[in-house]
Amino acid sequence: MTGLDPLIHPPARLRLAAMLAVLNELEFVKAREELQVSDSVLSKHVAALVEAGYAKSRKSVLSGRRTTWLSLTNEGLAAYREHIAALRAVIDGT
């Protein structure tokens, strides 16, 4: 185990990674609503994850409007799982 990942650790990023870990893709608007943050706040978190290679985003048209889809990369999923394992170790006192 490599320990806590400071890139994933901020609460909004951790919650976003948790959502993306169980979904193939998530629409940006749905993520924003679930996290209850502004577009700009979510954009900054997504940009940090994308820059690290942990997430990717793609644009498409849905029901006649442009939308952005978010997903974790394999590297991002592995980093998220390692982070969760480290959190559990902290909680368990090991």
Side-chain angles (χ1 to χ4, degrees), residues 5-38:
D5 187 325
L7 186 70
I8 294 176
H9 196 68
R13 278 191 217 151
L14 181 57
R15 289 184 62 213
L16 177 59
M19 288 186 286
L20 295 176
V22 297
L23 299 171
N24 201 24
E25 284 188 309
L26 179 62
E27 189 179 2
F28 183 94
V29 171
K30 298 289 186 194
R32 183 196 67 213
E33 290 170 356
E34 185 67 29
L35 295 173
Q36 298 179 344
V37 296
S38 67

Side-chain angles (χ1 to χ4, degrees), residues 2-92:
T2 61
L4 297 174
D5 187 325
L7 186 70
I8 294 176
H9 196 68
R13 278 191 217 151
L14 181 57
R15 289 184 62 213
L16 177 59
M19 288 186 286
L20 295 176
V22 297
L23 299 171
N24 201 24
E25 284 188 309
L26 179 62
E27 189 179 2
F28 183 94
V29 171
K30 298 289 186 194
R32 183 196 67 213
E33 290 170 356
E34 185 67 29
L35 295 173
Q36 298 179 344
V37 296
S38 67
D39 283 353
S40 63
V41 167
L42 181 55
S43 290
K44 288 177 185 176
H45 287 303
V46 169
L49 293 172
V50 168
E51 185 177 318
Y54 286 3
K56 56 186 173 179
S57 66
R58 70 174 181 87
K59 301 217 184 275
S60 71
V61 176
L62 178 67
S63 301
R65 64 180 175 84
R66 288 191 54 81
T67 191
T68 301
W69 294 93
L70 309 171
S71 60
L72 282 182
T73 62
N74 289 337
E75 182 182 353
L77 183 57
Y80 168 72
R81 288 178 176 160
E82 287 179 17
H83 186 77
I84 294 304
L87 284 173
R88 285 191 177 120
V90 169
I91 291 166
D92 293 342

